[in-house]
Each structure stands twice: as C-alpha cells, then as structure tokens.
Amino acid sequence: MATADKARLEQYVQQQKQYDAQEQAYLEQAQQPQYQQPQPVEEEYSEPSDKAREWANKNTWFGKDQVATSVAFAVHKQVENEGFDTESDAYYSEIDKRVRQELPQRFNVEADKKPVQTVASATRNTSTGRKQNRIELTPSEQQLAKKLGVSFKDYAIQKARLQKS
C-alpha cells in the first residue's frame, strides 16, 4: 500500500508542476498588451512628371477649383485603368476631353457653336393669333435629354413648365 500511495503522490506532484507551468504561461500572456499599436500608413508619393506639370500649368483651374480638380483625379483613375500610357499625349487629351464633358458649365462647352435644337412647345400656335411660345434647348440640355432617354419635345415641355412656375 505504501508503494501505491507513493505512486499517487508522485503523480500528484507531476500534475501540480504542469498546472503551475500552465498558470505561469497564462499570467505572462495576460501581462502582454491586448492590442498592437497600429503602424502609420505611409502614402506613396512620387513627384509629378514634367508632362504632368506642363498640363497643370496649362489648366490654371487645377488645384484651385476643388470640384474640377477632384473630377480630374477621378477621370485620371478611369483613363489609367483603361490602359492609357500616363505619359502620352493621348492620355492628356483624353483627360481634357472627359473633364470638359463632365463639367460643361465650367468650360463653356456650350460655346462649341453647336446648333440649338428648337422644338415646338406644349401649346402649339395655330392661326388664331395666339402668342408663340418657343423653347430652345442648349447643347448641354440636349445631351442631358439623350442621357435620360427623353425626347427633345418632352424635355422642352418640362422646361416650359419649370419656366412658368
């Protein structure tokens, strides 16, 4: 019986040592900070190329007009994703073209000498001598009507209603 008690005592001592080691490891882990400091993200910045500087100098609005500058950056991403070489003349021509398409009112795109579309108004004149109402759509209004899928006539009717209100 003494040998059985001695074996149990040795087994208990072994278990106690394992338990103490596990408890020590747990306490050491609990003392370590629970989170790591986030590493500061460094944004990659490269100096603009000579062509980019030349384009920016030519477009005096760039960097001054926040909306147009943001549009230019967005267009840049699109054009770059489409595979344009960012150092080619075609790239800068495409940027110019698309920025002007997106912001026609800022670049007087209407002054392209495009003909103005005249449509009959909702109240068409007859030979009764009533006043003639004509609605003219500017090129940008024509573009908008096309994008919306609305006929020029329907667009003109809505424009006339807005003008009356």
Side-chain angles (χ1 to χ4, degrees):
M1 187 132 154
T3 56
D5 288 339
K6 186 177 178 182
R8 265 194 239 131
L9 179 62
E10 285 178 14
Q11 184 181 10
Y12 174 76
V13 169
Q14 273 303 100
Q15 288 175 345
Q16 188 63 37
K17 284 181 182 177
Q18 285 179 337
Y19 175 78
D20 289 344
Q22 288 174 346
E23 185 177 17
Q24 184 64 30
Y26 174 78
L27 289 174
E28 287 174 5
Q29 184 181 15
Q31 290 175 350
Q32 294 177 351
Q34 295 297 319
Y35 65 94
Q36 293 182 352
Q37 274 298 67
Q39 298 297 323
V41 177
E42 293 184 26
E43 291 186 25
E44 188 175 316
Y45 175 77
S46 58
E47 286 292 321
S49 67
D50 290 338
K51 254 191 184 276
R53 282 192 185 108
E54 182 182 315
W55 180 85
N57 288 335
K58 184 178 81 172
N59 293 286
T60 56
W61 52 266
F62 187 77
K64 293 177 183 134
D65 181 336
Q66 190 175 10
V67 172
T69 301
S70 297
V71 169
F73 278 120
V75 169
H76 154 74
K77 286 285 185 202
Q78 285 178 336
V79 172
E80 187 178 45
N81 290 340
E82 290 173 13
F84 278 81
D85 174 13
T86 58
E87 289 301 309
S88 69
D89 291 336
Y91 163 80
Y92 287 101
S93 295
E94 192 67 19
I95 293 284
D96 286 336
K97 180 180 106 184
R98 292 188 190 185
V99 167
R100 280 162 178 69
Q101 282 176 346
E102 292 297 323
L103 301 170
Q105 69 282 7
R106 289 217 165 108
F107 298 102
N108 294 325
V109 172
E110 294 178 3
D112 286 349
K113 306 291 188 242
K114 291 182 182 177
V116 174
Q117 178 73 31
T118 304
V119 247
S121 70
T123 56
R124 184 165 262 188
N125 293 333
T126 60
S127 59
T128 61
R130 292 191 313 183
K131 185 174 117 182
Q132 184 177 7
N133 293 329
R134 295 179 63 99
I135 303 295
E136 292 185 354
L137 299 181
T138 63
S140 63
E141 290 172 328
Q142 292 174 30
Q143 286 179 336
L144 182 58
K146 285 179 186 176
K147 282 184 181 179
L148 294 172
V150 177
S151 72
F152 290 156
K153 181 178 178 179
D154 291 340
Y155 190 95
I157 290 169
Q158 294 302 322
K159 182 178 177 181
R161 286 181 184 162
L162 283 173
Q163 287 175 346
K164 286 181 183 179
S165 62

